Amino acid sequence: MFKNVTVFVFLCHLLLSGCSTNSGRVFSLKDNIYPFERAALANKVSSKTVRFKDGYVANEVLYASYMKSIVHSVEASYRMKGLPEPKIQHDGFSNTVNFLLKNAKEKNTRSERSSIRVTPKGGAIEIGFISGEYHGNRKGEAIQKAIFPITQDKKNGYVYFTINYPANYVHRKGNIGSQPAVLPLFAKHEIDDAFEYAFKSIKIEKIGYRKDTTFSGEFTSKYPDDSVYANFKRRLKRGTNEKHIQKDGYLKRTIDGFDTSIGIAVFPYRNGSKVTYKAHMNREFYLTPNGKNTYKRFPVKAKVESVLLAIANE
């Protein structure tokens, strides 16, 4: 019964809406029928350039991380700053409809919210401010958005990314059918500062990349295999029974500041024993937006083998 009343009220609303010019209504069954309009941005803001060491990260990966940092920094900045409340031109009739919908306790409840959207667009970032009205799967969104172009360059061993401030933006009102218009989030005299704040909040995080190395080898010891394995066993994360002919295990060591995982095997060899090993190291390094690189060379194979020799011959 209530749904029938709601439908009847809504139909009456459609019939009467063409007369309600003071509320910004349009007679339409469609959402967001207003076209985008272009307007100039008055503020002149210098571009931002960062540089990263070339050759350590694939260019497409570096660019994707750069874009991700832009999105994260702008969104985080506005989460802290906050956005104005959505601007929707309610009138008495729409308030009544909203009241009926709210009290119907239907799944398609109505809501209003402000949001910012930061979206990679090929060679640019699009920043948009949204004033929105939402009802079920319908949405009326007033949008103010601008494209911030990004250029890339390589020279002298560095990759450069430059983001530029736009001269224009586009805007439109929003609507859900014949409901009152949803107005842009920022007034004309506020929009310059809103985009400038977003642009200045861009902070590029360090770009992480992981490197690893693996090498293997063997050496002999004059001591019996049981004795050599006993020296290793005190340090093993896991190992086999010392009665096995081939005794193996796995240990972790820090060598020249690098955490190293080493698999070892010990078995009889002539009058002593033989040790085989396989060592693996990996670490995350960072490229910073001012061109620095935290990369360090991994320890050489001889350094790892000297550590294992020292344990075997204790």
Side-chain angles (χ1 to χ4, degrees):
M1 177 66 181
F2 184 84
K3 288 185 177 179
N4 292 336
V5 173
T6 302
V7 171
F8 174 75
V9 171
F10 182 67
L11 290 174
C12 292
H13 159 57
L14 289 177
L15 293 173
L16 294 173
S17 62
C19 302
S20 304
T21 56
N22 64 330
S23 67
R25 291 183 186 280
V26 291
F27 181 73
S28 176
L29 295 176
K30 296 181 179 180
D31 301 339
N32 300 313
I33 64 169
Y34 297 97
F36 277 103
E37 299 177 29
R38 183 175 296 275
L41 289 170
N43 293 1
K44 306 300 179 184
V45 183
S46 299
S47 60
K48 286 187 171 189
T49 299
V50 295
R51 67 174 188 166
F52 299 98
K53 278 280 190 181
D54 190 17
Y56 291 87
V57 180
N59 196 61
E60 61 272 17
V61 174
L62 188 61
Y63 183 69
S65 296
Y66 168 74
M67 298 289 267
K68 184 178 179 180
S69 292
I70 293 176
V71 173
H72 174 77
S73 57
V74 174
E75 289 179 344
S77 179
Y78 262 101
R79 277 197 299 270
M80 294 180 61
K81 178 182 174 65
L83 290 164
E85 292 296 317
K87 296 181 179 179
I88 302 173
Q89 294 181 318
H90 292 302
D91 56 16
F93 189 88
S94 65
N95 286 336
T96 300
V97 172
N98 293 332
F99 174 80
L100 293 173
L101 289 172
K102 181 178 179 181
N103 285 274
K105 295 182 179 179
E106 297 178 352
K107 291 182 179 179
N108 293 336
T109 55
R110 180 190 162 281
S111 64
E112 300 176 3
R113 64 178 179 268
S114 305
S115 59
I116 183 170
R117 293 175 188 163
V118 188
T119 311
K121 293 280 185 177
I125 282 283
E126 181 182 271
I127 297 177
F129 300 106
I130 317 299
S131 178
E133 178 177 23
Y134 304 89
H135 181 200
N137 60 357
R138 302 184 70 177
K139 58 184 179 182
E141 293 184 325
I143 300 174
Q144 296 162 301
K145 62 182 181 180
I147 295 289
F148 294 72
I150 295 169
T151 58
Q152 302 182 49
D153 190 21
K154 283 188 179 184
K155 59 183 179 181
N156 301 326
Y158 292 94
V159 179
Y160 291 81
F161 296 122
T162 299
I163 182 167
N164 301 284
Y165 196 79
N168 302 284
Y169 76 104
V170 295
H171 61 93
R172 77 164 192 213
K173 292 189 293 184
N175 68 287
I176 295 181
S178 297
Q179 284 285 85
V182 182
L183 300 181
L185 201 57
F186 293 99
K188 287 183 179 180
H189 69 277
E190 299 172 323
I191 190 63
D192 273 284
D193 290 342
F195 279 122
E196 184 174 344
Y197 178 84
F199 186 74
K200 289 185 174 180
S201 71
I202 293 173
K203 293 180 175 60
I204 306 305
E205 300 174 358
K206 58 189 178 184
I207 305 299
Y209 65 97
R210 187 166 289 278
K211 293 283 188 181
D212 61 9
T213 187
T214 300
F215 42 76
S216 58
E218 62 179 42
F219 59 87
T220 59
S221 172
K222 62 182 180 180
Y223 298 107
D225 57 302
D226 289 343
S227 300
V228 172
Y229 187 69
N231 292 340
F232 280 110
K233 191 172 183 180
R234 292 193 295 271
R235 300 168 173 86
L236 294 179
K237 295 295 182 183
R238 67 171 189 271
T240 55
N241 191 303
E242 59 268 20
K243 296 184 181 297
H244 291 183
I245 294 176
Q246 178 175 311
K247 311 164 188 62
D248 53 42
Y250 147 81
L251 70 157
K252 286 194 170 184
R253 304 292 286 177
T254 299
I255 302 175
D256 288 352
F258 287 83
D259 292 334
T260 309
S261 300
I262 310 171
I264 61 103
V266 182
F267 50 89
Y269 184 74
R270 295 182 178 175
N271 294 324
S273 58
K274 178 177 285 191
V275 178
T276 62
Y277 64 89
K278 186 174 184 178
H280 178 76
M281 304 177 195
N282 70 83
R283 177 182 286 187
E284 187 170 27
F285 301 100
Y286 297 97
L287 300 176
T288 63
N290 60 359
K292 293 183 179 179
N293 185 10
T294 64
Y295 177 75
K296 287 177 58 179
R297 290 186 180 275
F298 289 106
V300 296
K301 177 180 175 179
K303 179 67 176 182
V304 176
E305 191 163 302
S306 68
V307 170
L308 297 177
L309 271 167
I311 297 174
N313 294 327
E314 285 180 347

